[in-house]
Amino acid sequence: MTDVKTNSALSGYRVIELASERCALAGKMLADMGAEVIVVEPPEGCDTRSWEPFAGDVADPENSLHWWHYNTSKKSVSLNLEADIDAQRFISLVMTADVVIEAEPLGRLDALGLDWEQFQVTNHELIWTSITHHGRDGTDPPATDLTLLAEGGPAWSCGYDDHGIPPIRGGGNQAFHTACHYAVPSILAALMWRENSRKGQLIDVSLLNSSNATTEFATLWWLNGQQQVERQTGRHALPTITEWTQIQCADGRWFNTGVPPRNKHEFRALRSWIEELDLVEECSPYEILKLGDQFERIGLLELDEDPLAGEVFQAGREAIEFLGQRLNAYDLFVGLQERGMACGIVYSPEEMMDDPHFVERGFPEQIFYESRNTTHTHPGAPYRFSATPWSATRAPWLGEHQALLDDLAD
């Protein structure tokens, strides 16, 4: 195997990815962790190379920001799998691989003699990952990210309290992302199992099942209680409507108060902050907050059963809203986080990238593009490894690493 990033978590592993929007994130995650990921494109290039927006507003297969994002750290070879000579090259490539990731229409690779069954005997340590609509033993109807989210259920749970407004889909290829996020840890587990067994295996990921398993409470409520959840603005979808959690802060920014204080330590912390700000006289819920000292913990299911608990809980929420009327969103966010209370500013993507916490962790990743002689900002990794650092390089040009195929022939 070829070591690309010798001190990275997955250096030494080779992954073959058949280019598809459905599995691109899985390959990206492995590549940025150090695996040598070779994306196999058709001669004309992956369809996503033609997707807007384009860097510099220049429509070019090498300028698609979609391609740039989903294919960092990968290598690209171009093959026509319908042609015998390229099919043989693909076979030779797979014989050197640890992992294959594909989201091809059911039956296509089998018809070409290039599916899992054809490789498991000759490369018995190969881990083959297939991402399809219903799984390999189901049907393969036409689908998009939107239809998968609708059919799988997440779209039903996303939106506003006003149900006159249609549901809101998850943005950014959420159905495809969800399937890839299930695929990647499955691949890592299979690689670990292979360490002792010396055997590969087939990982069969269903896009639809992945979306349905990620509906939070919706499927569980229906299967166990025949109750339908209702979508709620910035809150969990539940059969009953819960308390509104969005407020507008002194600077006009919107803020999600999340879960207010629920134990005596949090109530004390909130009261102390109000005292530090010298706002006790103005804060009408302050006196009720003192009653929070009676509660080791207020469970959400207890609010209707214990009137005092419900009143104290509500006072905590009102106190946060009171502070939001006097503080800007970032100061409220930091203050509540420091006191152990979950909350969040409603950010736009560019605002999130500029958040001091993200910047300090090095989340905005600067990647150099030599053809443009400039760097571009990419979202980085949500994790940091102390000994095997994550890093990313630019997405490959079409067929940039075609020489890999020549090396196999030699």
Side-chain angles (χ1 to χ4, degrees):
M1 304 306 170
T2 303
D3 285 352
V4 179
K5 305 174 186 176
T6 55
N7 64 336
S8 297
L10 297 181
S11 62
Y13 291 107
R14 172 172 280 183
V15 179
I16 309 303
E17 174 197 331
L18 283 171
S20 167
E21 62 173 322
R22 294 185 170 191
C23 62
L25 182 66
K28 168 186 168 63
M29 294 174 71
L30 298 175
D32 291 340
M33 283 194 284
E36 182 190 30
V37 178
I38 303 170
V39 60
V40 178
E41 303 184 64
E44 67 276 12
C46 181
D47 289 344
T48 60
R49 286 182 177 273
S50 65
W51 291 3
E52 298 176 329
F54 294 102
D57 292 326
V58 178
D60 184 278
E62 305 298 352
N63 285 352
S64 168
L65 298 187
H66 186 284
W67 175 262
W68 284 12
H69 171 68
Y70 283 100
N71 295 278
T72 53
S73 308
K74 298 179 186 178
K75 297 179 178 180
S76 168
V77 299
S78 174
L79 290 172
N80 176 11
L81 299 184
E82 311 284 342
D84 290 343
I85 187 169
D86 278 0
Q88 288 301 315
R89 288 174 175 168
F90 179 73
I91 291 171
S92 298
L93 192 59
V94 171
M95 292 302 296
T96 70
D98 298 286
V99 178
V100 171
I101 305 173
E102 54 90 4
E104 296 296 295
L106 287 178
R108 178 177 184 249
L109 294 178
D110 183 58
L112 296 172
L114 302 175
D115 205 359
W116 155 249
E117 288 80 5
Q118 284 87 21
F119 287 103
Q120 61 176 322
V121 176
T122 51
N123 186 356
H124 63 274
E125 293 191 11
L126 179 65
I127 296 166
W128 190 284
T129 308
S130 182
I131 301 176
T132 58
H133 190 288
H134 284 291
R136 289 170 68 97
D137 57 352
T139 57
D140 195 21
T144 65
D145 187 76
L146 173 58
T147 62
L148 286 163
L149 290 174
E151 186 182 5
W156 181 262
S157 300
C158 298
Y160 295 96
D161 289 67
D162 180 1
H163 289 186
I165 302 173
I168 296 178
R169 66 174 293 185
N173 297 321
Q174 185 181 3
F176 299 154
H177 285 190
T178 301
C180 287
H181 276 289
Y182 284 118
V184 168
S186 299
I187 291 169
L188 298 180
L191 286 170
M192 290 182 65
W193 184 72
R194 194 184 70 172
E195 291 296 314
N196 292 323
S197 69
R198 309 313 307 170
K199 294 179 181 179
Q201 58 183 302
L202 173 66
I203 299 172
D204 185 2
V205 180
S206 163
L207 288 154
L208 184 61
N209 290 0
S210 298
S211 286
N212 186 256
T214 316
T215 54
E216 201 178 37
F217 301 124
T219 301
L220 289 174
W221 271 107
W222 181 255
L223 292 177
N224 293 288
Q226 285 72 56
Q227 294 190 59
Q228 179 175 288
V229 299
E230 303 294 338
R231 54 187 180 272
Q232 303 178 47
T233 310
R235 313 193 300 286
H236 300 295
L238 290 168
T240 56
I241 301 299
T242 57
E243 189 74 21
W244 182 265
T245 61
Q246 283 71 46
I247 64 172
Q248 201 165 12
C249 293
D251 58 355
R253 301 286 301 277
W254 282 95
F255 190 94
N256 195 313
T257 59
V259 179
R262 288 199 287 168
N263 60 61
K264 60 184 181 183
H265 304 291
E266 293 174 350
F267 284 115
R268 288 172 185 168
L270 189 57
R271 290 204 316 270
S272 297
W273 193 18
I274 294 170
E275 293 163 3
E276 291 168 15
L277 295 171
D278 198 21
L279 293 172
V280 172
E281 297 299 324
E282 299 177 44
C283 183
S284 58
Y286 176 82
E287 291 299 323
I288 301 177
L289 287 179
K290 293 181 179 179
L291 301 177
D293 290 347
Q294 302 178 27
F295 297 92
E296 291 296 328
R297 178 176 175 79
I298 298 177
L300 296 179
L301 298 179
E302 301 167 12
L303 297 179
D304 294 332
E305 301 172 3
D306 184 342
L308 180 59
E311 188 174 355
V312 173
F313 181 86
Q314 183 62 28
R317 191 179 295 284
E318 291 174 359
I320 292 174
E321 185 171 359
F322 166 82
L323 290 172
Q325 294 167 354
R326 289 156 179 79
L327 300 172
N328 65 47
Y330 191 78
D331 289 341
L332 181 62
F333 168 70
V334 172
L336 290 174
Q337 290 280 339
E338 287 177 341
R339 290 161 177 81
M341 282 163 265
C343 59
I345 305 171
V346 179
Y347 273 144
S348 66
E350 59 272 16
E351 289 170 333
M352 185 194 74
M353 294 291 280
D354 290 335
D355 180 275
H357 176 74
F358 284 88
V359 172
E360 185 176 341
R361 281 183 58 86
F363 180 73
E365 184 81 1
Q366 299 299 321
I367 297 181
F368 183 66
Y369 288 76
E370 64 270 29
S371 63
R372 307 175 66 86
N373 195 32
T374 187
T375 58
H376 291 268
T377 303
H378 286 244
Y383 43 75
R384 291 193 300 188
F385 298 143
S386 62
T388 52
W390 178 98
S391 65
T393 56
R394 65 161 176 82
W397 307 319
L398 175 59
E400 181 178 353
H401 303 91
Q402 207 74 3
L404 286 169
L405 302 176
D406 297 331
D407 293 342
L408 294 173
D410 296 340

Short mmCIF file of all heavy atoms in Angstrom, two decimals, residues 111-163:
data_model
loop_
_atom_site.label_atom_id
_atom_site.label_comp_id
_atom_site.label_asym_id
_atom_site.label_seq_id
_atom_site.Cartn_x
_atom_site.Cartn_y
_atom_site.Cartn_z
N ALA A 111 -23.36 -7.23 -13.53
CA ALA A 111 -23.44 -7.49 -14.97
C ALA A 111 -22.09 -7.32 -15.66
O ALA A 111 -21.82 -7.96 -16.68
CB ALA A 111 -24.48 -6.55 -15.60
N LEU A 112 -21.25 -6.47 -15.08
CA LEU A 112 -19.93 -6.24 -15.65
C LEU A 112 -18.88 -7.19 -15.07
O LEU A 112 -17.71 -7.15 -15.47
CB LEU A 112 -19.49 -4.80 -15.37
CG LEU A 112 -20.32 -3.69 -16.03
CD1 LEU A 112 -19.88 -2.32 -15.51
CD2 LEU A 112 -20.19 -3.74 -17.55
N GLY A 113 -19.29 -8.05 -14.14
CA GLY A 113 -18.34 -8.96 -13.49
C GLY A 113 -17.41 -8.23 -12.55
O GLY A 113 -16.27 -8.67 -12.32
N LEU A 114 -17.89 -7.12 -11.97
CA LEU A 114 -17.02 -6.28 -11.14
C LEU A 114 -17.63 -6.03 -9.76
O LEU A 114 -17.34 -5.02 -9.12
CB LEU A 114 -16.79 -4.93 -11.84
CG LEU A 114 -16.16 -4.97 -13.24
CD1 LEU A 114 -16.10 -3.58 -13.84
CD2 LEU A 114 -14.76 -5.59 -13.18
N ASP A 115 -18.44 -6.96 -9.28
CA ASP A 115 -19.11 -6.76 -8.00
C ASP A 115 -18.40 -7.55 -6.90
O ASP A 115 -17.45 -8.29 -7.14
CB ASP A 115 -20.57 -7.19 -8.11
CG ASP A 115 -21.46 -6.49 -7.10
OD1 ASP A 115 -20.94 -5.69 -6.30
OD2 ASP A 115 -22.69 -6.74 -7.11
N TRP A 116 -18.90 -7.39 -5.69
CA TRP A 116 -18.32 -8.02 -4.51
C TRP A 116 -18.08 -9.51 -4.69
O TRP A 116 -17.01 -10.03 -4.36
CB TRP A 116 -19.25 -7.75 -3.33
CG TRP A 116 -19.19 -8.72 -2.20
CD1 TRP A 116 -20.15 -9.61 -1.83
CD2 TRP A 116 -18.12 -8.90 -1.26
NE1 TRP A 116 -19.75 -10.33 -0.74
CE2 TRP A 116 -18.50 -9.91 -0.36
CE3 TRP A 116 -16.87 -8.31 -1.09
CZ2 TRP A 116 -17.70 -10.33 0.69
CZ3 TRP A 116 -16.07 -8.74 -0.05
CH2 TRP A 116 -16.48 -9.72 0.83
N GLU A 117 -19.08 -10.19 -5.22
CA GLU A 117 -18.97 -11.65 -5.34
C GLU A 117 -17.80 -12.06 -6.22
O GLU A 117 -17.19 -13.11 -6.01
CB GLU A 117 -20.27 -12.24 -5.90
CG GLU A 117 -21.44 -12.24 -4.93
CD GLU A 117 -22.12 -10.88 -4.83
OE1 GLU A 117 -21.74 -9.96 -5.59
OE2 GLU A 117 -23.04 -10.74 -3.99
N GLN A 118 -17.49 -11.25 -7.24
CA GLN A 118 -16.39 -11.59 -8.13
C GLN A 118 -15.02 -11.37 -7.50
O GLN A 118 -14.03 -11.92 -7.98
CB GLN A 118 -16.49 -10.77 -9.43
CG GLN A 118 -17.57 -11.25 -10.40
CD GLN A 118 -18.93 -10.62 -10.11
OE1 GLN A 118 -19.01 -9.59 -9.48
NE2 GLN A 118 -20.00 -11.26 -10.58
N PHE A 119 -14.96 -10.59 -6.43
CA PHE A 119 -13.67 -10.26 -5.83
C PHE A 119 -13.40 -11.01 -4.52
O PHE A 119 -12.24 -11.12 -4.11
CB PHE A 119 -13.56 -8.76 -5.55
CG PHE A 119 -13.39 -7.92 -6.78
CD1 PHE A 119 -14.46 -7.20 -7.30
CD2 PHE A 119 -12.17 -7.85 -7.42
CE1 PHE A 119 -14.30 -6.42 -8.44
CE2 PHE A 119 -11.99 -7.08 -8.56
CZ PHE A 119 -13.06 -6.36 -9.08
N GLN A 120 -14.43 -11.51 -3.85
CA GLN A 120 -14.22 -12.01 -2.49
C GLN A 120 -13.34 -13.25 -2.44
O GLN A 120 -12.71 -13.52 -1.41
CB GLN A 120 -15.57 -12.30 -1.83
CG GLN A 120 -16.42 -13.34 -2.51
CD GLN A 120 -17.69 -13.63 -1.73
OE1 GLN A 120 -17.67 -13.65 -0.50
NE2 GLN A 120 -18.79 -13.84 -2.43
N VAL A 121 -13.25 -13.99 -3.51
CA VAL A 121 -12.40 -15.18 -3.52
C VAL A 121 -10.95 -14.81 -3.76
O VAL A 121 -10.03 -15.27 -3.07
CB VAL A 121 -12.88 -16.19 -4.58
CG1 VAL A 121 -11.92 -17.38 -4.65
CG2 VAL A 121 -14.30 -16.66 -4.27
N THR A 122 -10.74 -13.92 -4.75
CA THR A 122 -9.37 -13.56 -5.12
C THR A 122 -8.74 -12.54 -4.17
O THR A 122 -7.52 -12.48 -4.04
CB THR A 122 -9.34 -13.00 -6.55
OG1 THR A 122 -10.32 -11.96 -6.66
CG2 THR A 122 -9.65 -14.10 -7.56
N ASN A 123 -9.59 -11.72 -3.50
CA ASN A 123 -9.08 -10.77 -2.52
C ASN A 123 -9.92 -10.94 -1.26
O ASN A 123 -10.81 -10.15 -0.96
CB ASN A 123 -9.17 -9.34 -3.06
CG ASN A 123 -8.52 -8.32 -2.13
OD1 ASN A 123 -8.04 -8.66 -1.05
ND2 ASN A 123 -8.49 -7.06 -2.54
N HIS A 124 -9.64 -12.03 -0.53
CA HIS A 124 -10.51 -12.42 0.57
C HIS A 124 -10.42 -11.48 1.78
O HIS A 124 -11.21 -11.60 2.71
CB HIS A 124 -10.21 -13.86 1.02
CG HIS A 124 -8.83 -14.04 1.56
ND1 HIS A 124 -7.75 -14.30 0.75
CD2 HIS A 124 -8.37 -14.01 2.83
CE1 HIS A 124 -6.67 -14.42 1.50
NE2 HIS A 124 -7.01 -14.25 2.77
N GLU A 125 -9.47 -10.52 1.77
CA GLU A 125 -9.40 -9.54 2.86
C GLU A 125 -10.09 -8.23 2.48
O GLU A 125 -10.09 -7.28 3.27
CB GLU A 125 -7.94 -9.28 3.23
CG GLU A 125 -7.24 -10.49 3.86
CD GLU A 125 -5.90 -10.13 4.46
OE1 GLU A 125 -5.61 -8.92 4.58
OE2 GLU A 125 -5.13 -11.06 4.81
N LEU A 126 -10.70 -8.18 1.32
CA LEU A 126 -11.32 -6.95 0.83
C LEU A 126 -12.60 -6.63 1.60
O LEU A 126 -13.46 -7.50 1.81
CB LEU A 126 -11.64 -7.09 -0.66
CG LEU A 126 -12.30 -5.89 -1.33
CD1 LEU A 126 -11.37 -4.68 -1.33
CD2 LEU A 126 -12.72 -6.25 -2.76
N ILE A 127 -12.74 -5.38 2.00
CA ILE A 127 -13.97 -4.87 2.63
C ILE A 127 -14.72 -4.07 1.59
O ILE A 127 -14.24 -3.04 1.12
CB ILE A 127 -13.63 -4.02 3.87
CG1 ILE A 127 -12.96 -4.90 4.93
CG2 ILE A 127 -14.88 -3.35 4.43
CD1 ILE A 127 -12.29 -4.12 6.03
N TRP A 128 -15.88 -4.55 1.22
CA TRP A 128 -16.68 -3.93 0.15
C TRP A 128 -17.86 -3.22 0.80
O TRP A 128 -18.65 -3.83 1.53
CB TRP A 128 -17.16 -4.99 -0.82
CG TRP A 128 -17.79 -4.45 -2.07
CD1 TRP A 128 -19.04 -3.90 -2.20
CD2 TRP A 128 -17.20 -4.40 -3.37
NE1 TRP A 128 -19.27 -3.53 -3.50
CE2 TRP A 128 -18.14 -3.82 -4.24
CE3 TRP A 128 -15.97 -4.81 -3.89
CZ2 TRP A 128 -17.91 -3.64 -5.61
CZ3 TRP A 128 -15.72 -4.62 -5.24
CH2 TRP A 128 -16.68 -4.04 -6.10
N THR A 129 -18.01 -1.94 0.53
CA THR A 129 -19.09 -1.14 1.12
C THR A 129 -20.02 -0.65 0.03
O THR A 129 -19.61 0.08 -0.87
CB THR A 129 -18.51 0.07 1.89
OG1 THR A 129 -17.53 -0.40 2.82
CG2 THR A 129 -19.61 0.81 2.63
N SER A 130 -21.27 -1.09 0.12
CA SER A 130 -22.28 -0.77 -0.89
C SER A 130 -23.35 0.12 -0.27
O SER A 130 -23.91 -0.21 0.78
CB SER A 130 -22.90 -2.06 -1.41
OG SER A 130 -23.85 -1.79 -2.41
N ILE A 131 -23.61 1.27 -0.88
CA ILE A 131 -24.61 2.22 -0.38
C ILE A 131 -25.71 2.34 -1.44
O ILE A 131 -25.49 2.90 -2.51
CB ILE A 131 -23.98 3.60 -0.09
CG1 ILE A 131 -22.87 3.46 0.97
CG2 ILE A 131 -25.04 4.60 0.38
CD1 ILE A 131 -22.12 4.75 1.26
N THR A 132 -26.89 1.79 -1.14
CA THR A 132 -27.99 1.78 -2.10
C THR A 132 -29.29 2.17 -1.41
O THR A 132 -29.35 2.34 -0.19
CB THR A 132 -28.15 0.38 -2.73
OG1 THR A 132 -28.40 -0.57 -1.69
CG2 THR A 132 -26.91 -0.02 -3.50
N HIS A 133 -30.34 2.31 -2.19
CA HIS A 133 -31.61 2.82 -1.67
C HIS A 133 -32.16 1.95 -0.55
O HIS A 133 -32.30 2.37 0.60
CB HIS A 133 -32.62 2.91 -2.81
CG HIS A 133 -33.89 3.64 -2.45
ND1 HIS A 133 -34.84 3.11 -1.62
CD2 HIS A 133 -34.35 4.85 -2.82
CE1 HIS A 133 -35.83 3.95 -1.47
NE2 HIS A 133 -35.56 5.04 -2.20
N HIS A 134 -32.50 0.69 -0.86
CA HIS A 134 -33.08 -0.22 0.12
C HIS A 134 -32.09 -1.26 0.63
O HIS A 134 -32.47 -2.17 1.37
CB HIS A 134 -34.27 -0.97 -0.49
CG HIS A 134 -35.52 -0.15 -0.61
ND1 HIS A 134 -36.24 0.27 0.49
CD2 HIS A 134 -36.17 0.34 -1.69
CE1 HIS A 134 -37.30 0.97 0.08
NE2 HIS A 134 -37.27 1.03 -1.23
N GLY A 135 -30.83 -1.16 0.22
CA GLY A 135 -29.89 -2.24 0.48
C GLY A 135 -29.84 -3.18 -0.70
O GLY A 135 -30.68 -3.15 -1.60
N ARG A 136 -28.86 -4.06 -0.72
CA ARG A 136 -28.62 -4.90 -1.89
C ARG A 136 -29.70 -5.95 -2.11
O ARG A 136 -29.85 -6.46 -3.22
CB ARG A 136 -27.25 -5.58 -1.75
CG ARG A 136 -26.09 -4.61 -1.91
CD ARG A 136 -24.78 -5.26 -1.52
NE ARG A 136 -24.38 -6.30 -2.43
CZ ARG A 136 -23.52 -6.14 -3.44
NH1 ARG A 136 -23.00 -4.94 -3.69
NH2 ARG A 136 -23.19 -7.15 -4.20
N ASP A 137 -30.48 -6.26 -1.07
CA ASP A 137 -31.54 -7.25 -1.24
C ASP A 137 -32.90 -6.60 -1.46
O ASP A 137 -33.94 -7.26 -1.41
CB ASP A 137 -31.61 -8.18 -0.02
CG ASP A 137 -31.83 -7.41 1.28
OD1 ASP A 137 -31.78 -6.17 1.26
OD2 ASP A 137 -32.05 -8.06 2.31
N GLY A 138 -32.92 -5.30 -1.71
CA GLY A 138 -34.18 -4.59 -1.94
C GLY A 138 -34.27 -4.09 -3.37
O GLY A 138 -33.52 -4.50 -4.25
N THR A 139 -35.23 -3.21 -3.58
CA THR A 139 -35.38 -2.61 -4.91
C THR A 139 -34.54 -1.35 -4.97
O THR A 139 -34.02 -0.87 -3.97
CB THR A 139 -36.86 -2.28 -5.19
OG1 THR A 139 -37.35 -1.41 -4.15
CG2 THR A 139 -37.68 -3.57 -5.20
N ASP A 140 -34.43 -0.78 -6.15
CA ASP A 140 -33.56 0.37 -6.36
C ASP A 140 -34.31 1.44 -7.15
O ASP A 140 -33.93 1.78 -8.27
CB ASP A 140 -32.30 -0.08 -7.10
CG ASP A 140 -31.20 0.97 -7.02
OD1 ASP A 140 -31.24 1.82 -6.11
OD2 ASP A 140 -30.31 0.95 -7.89
N PRO A 141 -35.38 2.02 -6.56
CA PRO A 141 -36.15 3.02 -7.29
C PRO A 141 -35.36 4.32 -7.44
O PRO A 141 -34.44 4.60 -6.66
CB PRO A 141 -37.38 3.22 -6.41
CG PRO A 141 -36.88 2.92 -5.03
CD PRO A 141 -35.89 1.80 -5.20
N PRO A 142 -35.72 5.12 -8.42
CA PRO A 142 -35.07 6.44 -8.55
C PRO A 142 -35.28 7.25 -7.27
O PRO A 142 -36.36 7.20 -6.66
CB PRO A 142 -35.79 7.08 -9.74
CG PRO A 142 -36.39 5.94 -10.49
CD PRO A 142 -36.74 4.90 -9.46
N ALA A 143 -34.25 7.97 -6.83
CA ALA A 143 -34.36 8.73 -5.59
C ALA A 143 -33.35 9.87 -5.60
O ALA A 143 -32.32 9.80 -6.27
CB ALA A 143 -34.12 7.83 -4.37
N THR A 144 -33.68 10.90 -4.89
CA THR A 144 -32.77 12.01 -4.65
C THR A 144 -32.60 12.17 -3.15
O THR A 144 -33.28 11.52 -2.36
CB THR A 144 -33.31 13.33 -5.24
OG1 THR A 144 -34.51 13.68 -4.52
CG2 THR A 144 -33.62 13.18 -6.73
N ASP A 145 -31.72 13.06 -2.74
CA ASP A 145 -31.56 13.32 -1.33
C ASP A 145 -32.88 13.77 -0.70
O ASP A 145 -33.25 13.34 0.39
CB ASP A 145 -30.49 14.41 -1.13
CG ASP A 145 -30.14 14.63 0.33
OD1 ASP A 145 -29.42 13.79 0.90
OD2 ASP A 145 -30.61 15.63 0.91
N LEU A 146 -33.63 14.61 -1.41
CA LEU A 146 -34.90 15.10 -0.90
C LEU A 146 -35.92 13.98 -0.74
O LEU A 146 -36.59 13.88 0.30
CB LEU A 146 -35.46 16.18 -1.83
CG LEU A 146 -36.88 16.68 -1.53
CD1 LEU A 146 -36.95 17.25 -0.12
CD2 LEU A 146 -37.30 17.73 -2.55
N THR A 147 -36.06 13.12 -1.75
CA THR A 147 -37.06 12.05 -1.65
C THR A 147 -36.69 11.04 -0.57
O THR A 147 -37.56 10.49 0.10
CB THR A 147 -37.25 11.33 -3.00
OG1 THR A 147 -36.02 10.71 -3.40
CG2 THR A 147 -37.71 12.32 -4.08
N LEU A 148 -35.40 10.83 -0.35
CA LEU A 148 -34.98 9.93 0.72
C LEU A 148 -35.33 10.50 2.09
O LEU A 148 -35.78 9.78 2.99
CB LEU A 148 -33.48 9.66 0.63
CG LEU A 148 -33.03 8.74 -0.50
CD1 LEU A 148 -31.54 8.88 -0.76
CD2 LEU A 148 -33.38 7.29 -0.18
N LEU A 149 -35.13 11.81 2.26
CA LEU A 149 -35.48 12.43 3.53
C LEU A 149 -36.99 12.42 3.76
O LEU A 149 -37.46 12.26 4.89
CB LEU A 149 -34.97 13.88 3.56
CG LEU A 149 -33.45 14.06 3.64
CD1 LEU A 149 -33.09 15.54 3.52
CD2 LEU A 149 -32.90 13.49 4.93
N ALA A 150 -37.75 12.57 2.68
CA ALA A 150 -39.20 12.54 2.81
C ALA A 150 -39.68 11.12 3.11
O ALA A 150 -40.49 10.90 4.02
CB ALA A 150 -39.84 13.06 1.52
N GLU A 151 -39.19 10.15 2.36
CA GLU A 151 -39.62 8.77 2.54
C GLU A 151 -39.12 8.19 3.86
O GLU A 151 -39.83 7.44 4.54
CB GLU A 151 -39.11 7.92 1.37
CG GLU A 151 -39.61 6.49 1.38
CD GLU A 151 -39.06 5.67 0.23
OE1 GLU A 151 -38.20 6.18 -0.53
OE2 GLU A 151 -39.47 4.50 0.10
N GLY A 152 -37.89 8.56 4.24
CA GLY A 152 -37.32 8.02 5.46
C GLY A 152 -37.87 8.64 6.72
O GLY A 152 -37.80 8.05 7.79
N GLY A 153 -38.38 9.87 6.64
CA GLY A 153 -39.02 10.48 7.79
C GLY A 153 -38.43 11.75 8.34
O GLY A 153 -39.16 12.53 8.95
N PRO A 154 -37.12 12.05 8.18
CA PRO A 154 -36.58 13.26 8.81
C PRO A 154 -37.29 14.54 8.42
O PRO A 154 -37.44 15.44 9.25
CB PRO A 154 -35.11 13.26 8.34
CG PRO A 154 -34.78 11.83 8.16
CD PRO A 154 -36.04 11.22 7.60
N ALA A 155 -37.73 14.64 7.15
CA ALA A 155 -38.37 15.88 6.72
C ALA A 155 -39.65 16.15 7.52
O ALA A 155 -40.01 17.31 7.74
CB ALA A 155 -38.69 15.83 5.23
N TRP A 156 -40.34 15.09 7.95
CA TRP A 156 -41.57 15.28 8.72
C TRP A 156 -41.29 15.98 10.05
O TRP A 156 -42.12 16.73 10.55
CB TRP A 156 -42.23 13.92 8.98
CG TRP A 156 -43.50 14.05 9.76
CD1 TRP A 156 -43.68 13.88 11.10
CD2 TRP A 156 -44.77 14.46 9.25
NE1 TRP A 156 -44.99 14.12 11.47
CE2 TRP A 156 -45.68 14.48 10.32
CE3 TRP A 156 -45.24 14.80 7.97
CZ2 TRP A 156 -47.02 14.84 10.17
CZ3 TRP A 156 -46.56 15.14 7.83
CH2 TRP A 156 -47.43 15.16 8.91
N SER A 157 -40.11 15.77 10.61
CA SER A 157 -39.79 16.31 11.93
C SER A 157 -39.14 17.68 11.87
O SER A 157 -38.85 18.26 12.92
CB SER A 157 -38.86 15.34 12.67
OG SER A 157 -39.48 14.08 12.84
N CYS A 158 -38.89 18.20 10.68
CA CYS A 158 -38.11 19.44 10.55
C CYS A 158 -38.99 20.57 10.01
O CYS A 158 -39.61 20.42 8.96
CB CYS A 158 -36.92 19.22 9.62
SG CYS A 158 -35.74 18.00 10.23
N GLY A 159 -39.01 21.68 10.72
CA GLY A 159 -39.79 22.82 10.26
C GLY A 159 -40.23 23.67 11.43
O GLY A 159 -39.65 23.65 12.51
N TYR A 160 -41.31 24.40 11.20
CA TYR A 160 -41.77 25.39 12.18
C TYR A 160 -43.07 24.96 12.84
O TYR A 160 -43.79 24.10 12.35
CB TYR A 160 -41.95 26.73 11.49
CG TYR A 160 -40.66 27.33 10.98
CD1 TYR A 160 -40.26 27.16 9.65
CD2 TYR A 160 -39.82 28.04 11.83
CE1 TYR A 160 -39.07 27.70 9.18
CE2 TYR A 160 -38.62 28.58 11.37
CZ TYR A 160 -38.25 28.40 10.05
OH TYR A 160 -37.07 28.92 9.60
N ASP A 161 -43.37 25.61 13.97
CA ASP A 161 -44.62 25.35 14.69
C ASP A 161 -45.83 25.60 13.78
O ASP A 161 -46.86 24.93 13.92
CB ASP A 161 -44.73 26.26 15.91
CG ASP A 161 -43.76 25.87 17.01
OD1 ASP A 161 -42.53 26.01 16.81
OD2 ASP A 161 -44.21 25.43 18.07
N ASP A 162 -45.72 26.56 12.91
CA ASP A 162 -46.80 26.86 11.97
C ASP A 162 -46.85 25.77 10.90
O ASP A 162 -46.05 25.76 9.97
CB ASP A 162 -46.56 28.22 11.32
CG ASP A 162 -47.67 28.62 10.33
OD1 ASP A 162 -48.62 27.82 10.16
OD2 ASP A 162 -47.56 29.70 9.75
N HIS A 163 -47.78 24.85 11.04
CA HIS A 163 -47.85 23.73 10.10
C HIS A 163 -48.54 24.10 8.79
O HIS A 163 -48.75 23.25 7.94
CB HIS A 163 -48.53 22.54 10.77
CG HIS A 163 -47.66 21.90 11.81
ND1 HIS A 163 -48.00 20.74 12.47
CD2 HIS A 163 -46.46 22.27 12.32
CE1 HIS A 163 -47.05 20.42 13.33
NE2 HIS A 163 -46.11 21.35 13.26
#
